[in-house]
Amino acid sequence: MNNWKKRKKSGVVLGLLILSLGMSVMSGCQNKESLEKEKKYRETGIAQMEEGDYEGAVKSFQKALDQSLAVVGDLEIDICYYKAAAQYKSGDTQGAKETYQALMDYDKKNGDPYYLRGCIYLKEGDTGKAKKDFEKALELKKDDYELYVSIYENLMGIGETQEAEKILEEALTLDGEDAADYRERGHIYLLKGDYENARKELDKAINKEDMKALLYMAQVYDAQGNSAQAQALYESYSARNGSDSEALRTLGEMQMEQGNYQQALEFFQKALATENVTNEQAIRKNEIIAYEQLKDFASAKEKMAAYLEDYPEDEQAQREFVFLQTR
């Protein structure tokens, strides 16, 4: 969300965005005090989202936008995306769609709001509108492999297998000889189950020292039943990315999928021990699941009790804790 590198705009489009998002319309430039308040409200909104208080987050993001004094730049666009996400999480899907529409009106060349609104339509069961938004997103972001994969996964999730496969085929028509291009094409071949071509593309990425390609190559070996080679690649990646909590989380989840719960637990614990832990809540939940799979219910119960102190709004975890009390 922090990659919106757009200059300030004026005139009708700016006015429409301000009115659509309920921002205060005032003349003059934003002063330092207002800017600091805007940033503070933004931080408060993000913290509320992490705590599960989505309605409170929407209010905080709106207060942040009200501080902008009709100025729209990178910060305001960033806040709008957070606001839309909070609206959706709070159950206000119509409000989220309206916010995305305002962002589309503001910048007609950005595909991200189309993709995000498409995801909402998909969850609402309006597949037709979802596909139209996805098509528009891809039209505006033709070279974004990750967008193709995200749309593929969304369509697969609702059983639109043929449409999803078409998206992958379209992605494979993209050119590019950078390490990331080879890596992402390898990933797409992996998703298609074409392991021979996946290895060819991933080899080229690895030769260009793309470390993430090692993860995908490990998955290729896993899929082909070569667990020893896969494990060697996992360990190689871990050795080079041992301070990256998100990388370690990914490794742990891969091990979970393979039923290697002890190794998964070790990766999750390494992730939690890193200096800068991202997505701590998800990692801690995975740690608890790993303990449960290992039948270490005492440790799982202890970890769950600590988890619920920090994330009391997680109803699924609360129900799981009741189960653990009986073990």
Side-chain angles (χ1 to χ4, degrees):
M1 281 190 186
N2 296 318
N3 62 340
W4 310 104
K5 306 299 183 184
K6 303 297 178 188
R7 297 181 182 275
K8 296 175 185 176
K9 296 187 177 182
S10 59
V12 176
V13 174
L14 173 57
L16 286 173
L17 181 69
I18 291 169
L19 293 173
S20 297
L21 298 175
M23 296 162 66
S24 299
V25 181
M26 299 176 63
S27 61
C29 298
Q30 184 180 28
N31 57 39
K32 183 177 181 181
E33 181 181 356
S34 294
L35 179 60
E36 290 304 314
K37 285 183 179 179
E38 182 177 4
K39 291 180 178 178
K40 186 65 178 178
Y41 280 126
R42 174 184 176 277
E43 291 174 3
T44 299
I46 293 172
Q48 288 170 316
M49 285 189 73
E50 292 176 348
E51 294 169 358
D53 180 10
Y54 301 114
E55 292 183 1
V58 172
K59 293 177 182 178
S60 293
F61 292 135
Q62 185 58 56
K63 288 179 181 178
L65 292 171
D66 288 341
Q67 300 299 317
S68 69
L69 306 185
V71 173
V72 179
D74 293 349
L75 177 60
E76 289 71 36
I77 298 301
D78 177 75
I79 293 169
C80 288
Y81 277 95
Y82 274 117
K83 178 186 173 183
Q87 286 174 309
Y88 174 74
K89 288 285 190 178
S90 72
D92 183 11
T93 56
Q94 183 59 33
K97 287 186 288 187
E98 289 173 359
T99 300
Y100 287 133
Q101 181 64 59
L103 288 165
M104 294 172 200
D105 293 338
Y106 177 74
D107 183 1
K108 298 182 184 300
K109 296 182 179 180
N110 191 347
D112 291 286
Y114 286 97
Y115 166 70
L116 293 167
R117 190 179 67 177
C119 291
I120 294 178
Y121 280 132
L122 204 65
K123 289 185 180 296
E124 290 179 332
D126 196 335
T127 308
K129 287 184 178 180
K131 289 180 181 178
K132 287 182 180 179
D133 273 355
F134 289 157
E135 288 173 5
K136 186 63 176 180
L138 290 173
E139 177 187 326
L140 295 169
K141 302 186 71 176
K142 296 179 180 178
D143 299 328
D144 191 332
Y145 286 101
E146 291 185 4
L147 178 59
Y148 284 93
V149 171
S150 295
I151 293 174
Y152 161 81
E153 290 174 342
N154 274 285
L155 292 174
M156 287 293 288
I158 62 167
E160 291 279 344
T161 307
Q162 289 186 335
E163 290 293 324
E165 290 294 338
K166 288 179 182 178
I167 294 295
L168 293 188
E169 290 296 339
E170 187 178 341
L172 290 174
T173 66
L174 301 179
D175 296 322
E177 297 182 355
D178 290 338
D181 294 315
Y182 290 124
R183 178 192 71 222
E184 293 306 321
R185 283 197 294 270
H187 181 208
I188 289 169
Y189 278 122
L190 170 61
L191 291 172
K192 287 173 60 64
D194 185 346
Y195 303 127
E196 182 178 353
N197 279 316
R199 289 179 62 176
K200 288 179 181 177
E201 296 292 330
L202 293 171
D203 271 333
K204 293 175 184 177
I206 292 169
N207 288 337
K208 288 178 174 285
E209 299 184 353
D210 188 302
M211 292 299 99
K212 191 174 180 180
L214 286 173
L215 287 179
Y216 292 139
M217 186 67 87
Q219 290 183 61
V220 171
Y221 281 114
D222 261 339
Q224 293 182 311
N226 191 340
S227 57
Q229 184 62 36
Q231 184 61 33
L233 289 175
Y234 288 137
E235 291 174 357
S236 176
Y237 183 85
S238 177
R240 302 184 193 193
N241 299 273
S243 61
D244 184 341
S245 68
E246 202 52 37
L248 291 165
R249 174 195 171 195
T250 300
L251 288 167
E253 289 175 348
M254 288 180 175
Q255 292 298 320
M256 289 273 279
E257 290 174 1
Q258 298 299 317
N260 302 324
Y261 302 116
Q262 183 59 48
Q263 291 172 321
L265 177 62
E266 291 171 6
F267 280 126
F268 295 141
Q269 291 176 336
K270 286 181 181 179
L272 292 170
T274 58
E275 185 173 347
N276 297 310
V277 182
T278 59
N279 208 347
E280 179 179 346
Q281 182 177 2
I283 298 172
R284 288 174 65 179
K285 286 184 76 171
N286 282 336
E287 180 187 29
I288 294 166
I289 293 170
Y291 273 123
E292 289 180 333
Q293 293 296 331
L294 290 167
K295 310 300 182 185
D296 186 349
F297 296 111
S299 295
K301 184 166 64 176
E302 179 183 348
K303 294 291 183 180
M304 183 66 85
Y307 173 89
L308 286 173
E309 285 186 11
D310 294 330
Y311 308 103
E313 77 286 349
D314 191 333
E315 295 181 0
Q316 183 181 6
Q318 290 173 359
R319 291 192 294 271
E320 184 65 17
F321 188 49
V322 172
F323 164 77
L324 287 170
Q325 300 278 36
T326 67
R327 303 297 295 188

